[in-house]
Amino acid sequence: MVKKIEKVAVLGAGTMGAQLAGHMANAGITALLYDLNDELAAKGWENLAKMKPAPLYNPKNLDLVEACTYEHNLDRLGEADWVLEAVAENLEIKHTVYKQIAPVLKDNVLLSSNSSGLPVAKIADALPDKFRSRFVLTHFFNPPRYLRLVEIVPAGADEDVVNSLAQFVSESLGKGVVWAKDTPNFVANRIGVHGQMVALNLTEEMSLTVEEVDKLTGTIVGRPKSAMYRTLDIVGLDVGMMVAQNSYDNCTDDEEREIFAKETVLNRLVEAGRLGQKSGEGFYKKTEAGILSVDFDSLEYTPQKRVRFDGYRVAKQQSTTAGKIRALAYSDDKAGQFFWETMARTLIYTANRIPEISDDIVNIDNAMKWGYGYELGIFESWDAIGVRRSVNRMQDEGKSVPAWVEGMLDSGVESFYSIENGKHSFYSIPDSAPQRIQLRDKEINLSLKKSGGDLISRDWSASLIDLGDQVLNVEFHSILQPVMNPIDLSLANTINDGINLLEAGRYKAMVIGHQGQNFCAGANLALILEACENKAWNILEETIQNLQTLTQRIRFSKSPIVAAPFGFALGGGYELAAPAAKRVCSAELYMGLVEVGVGLIPGAGGNLRFILNILDSAGEKALPPFQVGQKTLETIGFAKVSTSASHAQNLGYLRSEDEIVMNHDHLIHRAKQAALALADGYEPPKYRDDIILAGKGGRTAMTVALKGYRVQGKISAHDETIAKKLAFVITGGDKGGSNKPLDEQFLLDIEREAFLALCGEEKTQDRIRHFLKKGKPLRN
């Protein structure tokens, strides 16, 4: 029977322990945060409100964390359903803590250690026999809010203990569970640190710079923007070296053992006390003159040089991460040589770790995706470059390819993974044949749906998929900008096609959601700029009007439409989600109306949606019109973006009835269930023709305040122009006033007019150009 967890005690209020307690609070779980004395416990508690990036979804979550000490609050450990130890990586310290707490723990407690590499059996030595069967290792990756990986080493614990913890960290904490063996550094760090050491050595051997390597190991190949050296700075150079040393000390049979202890610039930097972000210096150093990078020979910090590689340029032209990896791996220039060598050695090393650290490739790939932020896992990346082609090259270069990989190819299996007829398979080494990957509970895989015959239609930027049970799905997949999925004609037409199917009675509900990197980052600015430069005002107005009509169709659909936003849901992305009957959101949601950053205001109904949210949240209580306008101006005018889904509710972008899902993999499933729950007896909302806004009087007050901001230098003259247009819309234009009710269409009309007027401003066009070129706002 799976145990219910309502209260967790975290032992150790350091950086990691405090964040673990904070993430329990994010899940609505009370957390007792322990340390040796009041000062340390209080410091850990207080740091939760100060750390960057923020470990809490909402500052109010801090109320669920209680600072405790072993001296004054030891008996309260008996309240905890789960005790999670996160003290220093020192067996003696851990054993001292275990001996102290054991007498007060309840018999059915779940007990685990967050150790990142110590042998599980040795950690458990200090526990009484009755708790050893209740002890497992749960290795969370840092920072625990943002990295999904939790490696679980069962360590001989009872099955119900392991299942309880696995289910809790997956469903309640939103984590991805990887089953690890009791081997040094477990799964992700064993592979990841090996790759880092290979890259470090090659950087020196090939005389590459820090910024050149980071250019080749970051977003271009589907890895975090921090790439390799910036990531090491964030983690801590001393931590990176310690993990590498742990592999060297304890992996005596590892064929690449020596690379973990090989002297590199890493040793020299650590010896000099340059430990990365925590010391202010590492591979990078932030100065008033900018961010400098270290020279490997002199250890001096110098300005970064612009990185230009032909291989990088060719890779960037590819539309998929798999294509980018393939292009870079087979490039003939220095970039390609570096990337190929690091990749080939990582592929071979990882393949040799089976079954030492894991019994299958899926576990390893999940570990790298969830723990290191890879878009594609190790074996998925191997598929991307072509297994046979790459193995032939490896053999030509004298590299030793693992026998099981050669055996796979000899048997006629050309890839590690395959998706066919709705089935996702992986190559099983013990079986020497492909085996099906079973979906985890509460998961829907849209790729499998499409391959299994459930694809209804596909266009350039979106598809319609049958989710079963008469529920339709709109999937975004922009070909040109797959990371951000901007709104274009293809996407809009697909949503309209979906609503047509609802109206025809072929489906009873629809979900707008997908499984890409971000929900939608707004309109296609390049197309807007092109229309402005060509003075195609009629076409632009028609486009905006069509989007407004689309969002109203979503709002008044006779069948419920549920939106499932996650990641970035900005500008037009918010405008597509807001009119839905309900939103089922990923906890990690960065939602906002940010159009002012490019010199515009929301144009596809965003102002109307936000105003309706404010009015509806008040219930039967009538809000003063000026208060509605002020809240709208403060939020949209300053382009406020939520830092989480719960924060989006506080800002007013989401409604109180909207749901938040911790595990991103469950999002589409939960959205489907919500849509089905609404479908029976569903009635769309009533058209609002009773909207009272502040009118000229409220607008005058806003104008005075805006002028003051400009005089103080807080906003520019063009900021003031944009804000005045926004104020005109949100106060009801010329018809606004306390006794003049307005309807939805009127607000859409004046919103569209203001949007088009701003498009004609040269400074707005300059802002759009700058954003498209630099990826950040221009203040002009």
Side-chain angles (χ1 to χ4, degrees), residues 22-64:
H23 197 58
M24 302 298 167
N26 287 337
I29 305 296
T30 299
L32 307 176
L33 180 60
Y34 279 80
D35 216 309
L36 294 173
N37 54 54
D38 291 332
E39 182 181 355
L40 290 173
K43 182 179 179 182
W45 185 87
E46 291 165 0
N47 281 343
L48 279 172
K50 302 174 184 177
M51 290 181 191
K52 299 294 180 184
L56 299 175
Y57 290 153
N58 188 323
K60 291 182 179 179
N61 290 349
L62 193 57
D63 295 341
L64 289 173

Side-chain angles (χ1 to χ4, degrees), residues 61 150 285 450 483 545 562 565 611 617-618 660:
N61 290 349
V150 175
K285 180 179 180 180
K450 289 187 288 186
V483 174
Q545 191 163 15
V562 173
I611 288 170
S617 68
I660 299 174

Side-chain angles (χ1 to χ4, degrees), residues 210-262:
V210 168
E211 55 267 34
E212 284 175 334
V213 171
D214 274 0
K215 192 82 168 179
L216 301 175
T217 57
T219 55
I220 188 67
V221 290
R223 296 180 187 176
K225 184 169 64 174
S226 55
M228 187 185 122
Y229 286 115
R230 176 64 183 139
T231 296
L232 273 169
D233 273 356
I234 294 170
V235 171
L237 274 60
D238 54 336
V239 174
M241 199 165 87
M242 178 192 71
V243 177
Q245 188 65 42
N246 190 46
S247 285
Y248 178 81
D249 292 340
N250 296 292
C251 301
T252 54
D253 295 328
D254 192 315
E255 75 279 5
E256 292 239 350
R257 182 189 182 211
E258 294 304 318
I259 200 168
F260 293 108
K262 189 174 180 180

Side-chain angles (χ1 to χ4, degrees), residues 339-349 394 397 399:
F339 186 72
W340 163 258
E341 190 62 24
T342 54
M343 185 176 189
R345 288 182 64 177
T346 296
L347 298 178
I348 291 171
Y349 182 79
M394 291 171 185
E397 294 174 349
K399 293 180 170 66

Side-chain angles (χ1 to χ4, degrees), residues 268-316:
R268 296 162 62 200
L269 289 170
V270 171
E271 288 169 7
R274 303 183 192 180
L275 307 180
Q277 187 170 276
K278 57 189 171 186
S279 69
E281 295 179 329
F283 288 103
Y284 292 100
K285 180 179 180 180
K286 190 174 183 179
T287 68
E288 291 183 0
I291 298 177
L292 312 179
S293 62
V294 73
D295 178 274
F296 275 32
D297 294 324
S298 66
L299 292 192
E300 296 294 325
Y301 290 95
T302 58
Q304 297 180 57
K305 297 180 179 65
R306 187 169 183 178
V307 178
R308 288 179 176 169
F309 287 121
D310 286 340
Y312 182 90
R313 177 181 53 79
V314 173
K316 196 173 182 181

Side-chain angles (χ1 to χ4, degrees), residues 620-640:
E620 296 181 0
K621 178 184 176 183
L623 285 177
F626 182 75
Q627 186 176 332
V628 174
Q630 184 180 38
K631 169 72 171 174
T632 307
L633 182 66
E634 289 174 353
T635 305
I636 300 177
F638 286 93
K640 291 183 179 179

